[in-house]
Amino acid sequence: MNVLLIGSGGREHALAWAIAASPLLGKLYCAPGNAGIAEIADCVAFDIADHGTVVRFCRDSSIDLVVVGPEAPLVAGLADDLEAAKIKVFGPSREAAQLEGSKGFAKDFCTAHAIPTAAYARLKERRAALAYLERHPLPVVIKADGLAAGKGVTIAPTQEAALTAVEAYFSGPMGAGGIVVEEFLEGEEASFFALVDGAHAIPLASAQDHKRAFDGDKGPNTGGMGAYSPAPMVTPEVARRAMEEIVWPTVRGMAQRGTPYRGVLYAGLMITDDGPKLIEYNVRFGDPEAQALMLRLKSDLLSALLATTDGVLNAFDLRWYDDAAIAVVMAAKGYPGEYAKGSEIRGLDAAREVEGVEVFHAGTARSNGHLIATGGRVLNVAARGRTLSEARARAYGAVAKIDWPGGFCRSDIGWRALKRREDAS
Ligand code: AMP
Ligand code: GLY
């Protein structure tokens, strides 16, 4: 079968790598892709926001399945338009993608279905928001209601910081859809993934992301600087509760609304003393979590994606390696602020020779035979090992072989899990 993958990041390279290994695959296309994906798929350049063009491409190239990597095309209804054209698609409809696209929708949905999450209020205008904050305990969490690429959240430790944040939201585009004010949850964060076919759900795996730019979880928030899987604080009991208290009520609730959820459901969890609570939904794989997850997946990814779109997940037996996996993100110096584009990267072949390592590209391109950086997050050096320590040593061994003066990475990916082990011994 022929597959079209939508996206251009490290997540999509990892998905392309797993799909390319499938015995079911005929031809793999990716729009728009990157220099790494181009080594295993035909990268095609068209405007994915133009759904008519996507549908035409699928017909012309006999595409049997479209796999959508990022959230924006889903929120924009790409899955709906493909389905209307009778083209199979992995990824939720526009209505179902609201779980990520609107924080307010997600919070109201949690309330309606008794899904554990932080207490909250949706506020549409500045004056009401300021009045509400006067009475709210500190710290307080303030979020833009719409999609903000991870940049729409403020954790305010003081009244003053909260009031300043509210003024800033409502005087710019982020406040246009209103804001959500919520209770601050105490605990450790984890990412939990499940496949959902409209009526059934099966757990994938857990992971932990590192959102801050610098070592020790310091510096500004980013899209994610590294991840590992599994996350040890997601014990079998926490995973069971996440499925029972969060994933299954979501599947049933979305079906009841008449907007069944199909695709991968990513629950951003806070593991609190009372168990897992939902911080946010995402309607796609995490990036860089997917890079670690794909290295641990033993089953054929394409078969699992098809079982999801075909509604037969209940009969699907998904297998994992017991190994740990890690992904270290290499980003352009200056990211997530301003950074230069066009610097050259060398040494990837040597890095790939390290045992257990795969290098997944994000913002890369080829120019006159040279590999150059074209984005903020540029490479993901991913590795599998029997233990997290082994995977981590392999990944950083490979990082050391990459010659890219224009880039940087964190040197402590996985530290929470390793510390937990040290504390326990
Ligand atoms: P979100 O975009 O909703 O995932 O929020 C981004 C980050 O803000 C999360 O990964 C958490 O680190 C933090 N955060 C969001 N909501 C809360 C909350 N209610 N309590 C504590 N931290 C939160
Ligand atoms: N790694 C966080 C995300 O994909 O949203």
Side-chain angles (χ1 to χ4, degrees):
M1 65 185 308
N2 298 331
V3 176
L4 170 65
L5 174 65
I6 304 281
S8 64
R11 165 182 53 208
E12 286 75 24
H13 191 183
L15 295 174
W17 174 80
I19 292 170
S22 174
L24 302 180
L25 184 70
K27 209 160 164 40
L28 177 61
Y29 297 90
C30 185
N34 59 40
I37 297 174
E39 292 173 12
I40 50 174
D42 264 19
C43 289
V44 285
F46 52 70
D47 180 9
I48 54 177
D50 178 355
H51 298 178
T53 301
V54 183
V55 167
R56 229 169 298 122
F57 176 84
C58 290
R59 289 196 173 129
D60 292 347
S61 307
S62 307
I63 298 296
D64 302 292
L65 176 71
V66 178
V67 179
V68 184
E71 65 279 13
L74 296 166
V75 173
L78 179 58
D80 308 65
D81 291 335
L82 286 166
E83 269 176 9
K86 304 259 181 301
I87 298 162
K88 241 184 228 186
V89 54
F90 178 87
S93 66
R94 183 200 321 255
E95 268 292 315
Q98 281 197 79
L99 286 177
E100 176 167 0
S102 164
K103 299 233 183 251
F105 173 86
K107 296 298 284 190
D108 291 350
F109 179 85
C110 287
T111 306
H113 299 281
I115 294 168
T117 187
Y120 72 104
R122 291 178 83 168
L123 296 151
K124 289 281 170 213
E125 58 96 26
R126 185 180 151 273
R127 200 137 27 121
L130 293 174
Y132 181 81
L133 277 170
E134 302 260 318
R135 306 184 303 271
H136 200 288
L138 294 165
V140 59
V141 184
I142 304 166
K143 303 182 177 183
D145 203 339
L147 271 188
K151 291 167 189 111
V153 177
T154 306
I155 296 175
T158 62
Q159 267 296 334
E160 198 187 350
L163 300 181
T164 308
V166 167
E167 293 288 0
Y169 280 111
F170 282 108
S171 58
M174 292 232 272
I179 62 171
V180 172
V181 174
E182 64 179 54
E183 165 202 11
F184 179 79
L185 295 175
E186 203 88 54
E188 200 173 317
E189 280 181 68
S191 307
F192 186 81
F193 300 88
L195 288 176
V196 178
D197 70 2
H200 317 102
I202 57 173
L204 283 169
S206 64
Q208 195 173 47
D209 186 14
H210 299 58
K211 289 193 170 134
R212 301 298 192 104
F214 309 128
D215 283 4
D217 293 330
K218 303 236 162 50
N221 257 326
T222 70
M225 292 300 292
Y228 60 92
S229 173
M233 73 273 195
V234 182
T235 58
E237 174 62 7
V238 169
R240 186 191 63 73
R241 288 188 64 178
M243 286 301 290
E244 251 167 50
E245 296 170 21
I246 296 171
V247 175
W248 276 106
T250 305
V251 176
R252 287 192 290 266
M254 291 305 278
Q256 269 166 26
R257 280 186 87 242
T259 56
Y261 188 92
R262 285 188 201 91
V264 56
L265 186 68
Y266 162 172
L269 303 180
M270 188 70 85
I271 316 298
T272 71
D273 291 342
D274 299 333
K277 292 197 178 177
L278 185 76
I279 299 177
E280 61 164 352
Y281 288 111
N282 293 124
V283 298
R284 50 169 175 86
F285 282 101
D287 185 342
E289 291 98 319
Q291 292 84 310
L293 247 53
M294 289 304 119
L295 287 193
R296 293 188 56 226
L297 183 63
K298 201 178 209 174
S299 299
D300 177 35
L301 176 67
L302 189 48
S303 303
L305 301 181
L306 279 173
T308 307
T309 56
D310 292 346
V312 294
L313 269 183
N314 51 328
F316 198 83
D317 179 24
L318 195 72
R319 299 287 172 96
W320 297 87
Y321 292 106
D322 287 332
D323 294 7
I326 192 166
V328 176
V329 171
M330 298 184 76
K333 281 181 183 157
Y335 173 80
E338 292 203 8
Y339 53 83
K341 293 185 181 179
S343 56
E344 191 178 351
I345 305 162
R346 294 196 194 86
L348 287 202
D349 289 339
R352 281 197 189 111
E353 277 171 19
V354 178
E355 191 178 352
V357 165
E358 292 294 331
V359 180
F360 297 122
H361 293 220
T364 64
R366 291 245 167 235
S367 171
N368 300 321
H370 300 289
L371 184 67
I372 57 163
T374 58
R377 290 191 295 174
V378 172
L379 295 171
N380 300 263
V381 182
R384 209 172 83 194
R386 272 164 311 198
T387 61
L388 181 61
S389 308
E390 184 178 67
R392 186 193 211 213
R394 288 173 170 177
Y396 280 111
V399 165
K401 297 193 186 292
I402 295 175
D403 174 13
W404 180 33
F408 79 101
C409 66
R410 279 181 59 163
S411 67
D412 64 347
I413 302 304
W415 73 269
R416 282 181 200 273
L418 296 173
K419 179 166 183 301
R420 173 175 289 263
R421 240 204 9 230
E422 269 168 29
D423 290 350
S425 64

